[in-house]
Amino acid sequence: MTVTSFRARPQPDEVARVTSTAAELLEVVWGRASTAPASASQLRVLLVLEHQDGINLRTLADCLASTPPSTSRLCDRLQAAGFIDRDVSPTDRREVRLHLSGHGRSFLADLRERRQQELQSVLNVMPPAKRAALLEGLEAFCDAASTQKRHETGADSRSA
């Protein structure tokens, strides 16, 4: 006779707490992979530009919840390091558009590769069934987060 372990469905607050802990540990694991010349703030800029190529400084500042002067200084450092490019908007000479440079793209690809290797070393010690469950849960999380983001973006564009 086999006794099946019964576990009540976890509540969202418990899952949020465990996910937060996992995210903190993920930062530690990713930190082992980082020989990055970019700070956490600079990395956020690169990731935003990767997904929103050609945005202006004000939009980037909004994405970072920062001020335009602080964001401009951050971009100055990234441009000096060769990670981003700036160009004048074809529609408004006063507006500067921001782009991830080839060097910035290479940097992100290399960083992702190193992070993936560090993650794989942790996942290798997990039992296969737990890895499968983690994958299923993370896929569902990504789907939910993407759906929420689309709804928020759609609501923002309708109210503008």
Side-chain angles (χ1 to χ4, degrees), residues 111-137:
L111 179 63
R112 284 188 176 113
E113 178 64 29
R114 288 191 316 265
R115 285 177 167 182
Q116 186 173 336
Q117 289 172 0
E118 288 295 332
L119 283 171
Q120 193 167 343
S121 71
V122 172
L123 295 170
N124 283 339
V125 299
M126 288 178 66
K130 298 290 186 180
R131 276 197 310 265
L134 176 63
L135 178 60
E136 182 179 349

Side-chain angles (χ1 to χ4, degrees), residues 2-52:
T2 305
V3 177
T4 305
S5 171
F6 175 76
R7 182 173 177 192
R9 291 183 182 223
Q11 295 301 308
D13 62 333
E14 177 187 0
V15 176
R17 181 184 52 76
V18 172
T19 302
S20 180
T21 300
E24 290 169 3
L25 290 170
L26 183 59
E27 287 187 41
V28 171
V29 170
W30 278 2
R32 292 194 303 245
S34 182
T35 57
S39 68
S41 296
Q42 290 170 330
L43 184 57
R44 285 181 60 211
V45 169
L46 298 179
L47 294 171
V48 169
L49 293 181
E50 182 180 46
H51 296 283
Q52 298 182 47

Side-chain angles (χ1 to χ4, degrees), residues 41-118:
S41 296
Q42 290 170 330
L43 184 57
R44 285 181 60 211
V45 169
L46 298 179
L47 294 171
V48 169
L49 293 181
E50 182 180 46
H51 296 283
Q52 298 182 47
D53 185 58
I55 62 174
N56 63 25
L57 192 64
R58 181 168 300 284
T59 303
L60 178 59
D62 289 345
C63 289
L64 301 173
S66 185
T67 64
S70 294
T71 303
S72 181
R73 287 189 298 275
L74 198 53
C75 288
D76 289 343
R77 290 189 294 276
L78 286 167
Q79 186 177 17
F83 289 118
I84 68 169
D85 295 319
R86 293 177 176 175
D87 64 20
V88 176
S89 169
T91 58
D92 184 350
R93 292 182 311 136
R94 296 171 297 172
E95 186 174 71
V96 174
R97 299 288 180 170
L98 304 167
H99 305 275
L100 194 58
S101 69
H103 179 62
R105 289 185 194 289
S106 295
F107 168 78
L108 287 178
D110 183 56
L111 179 63
R112 284 188 176 113
E113 178 64 29
R114 288 191 316 265
R115 285 177 167 182
Q116 186 173 336
Q117 289 172 0
E118 288 295 332

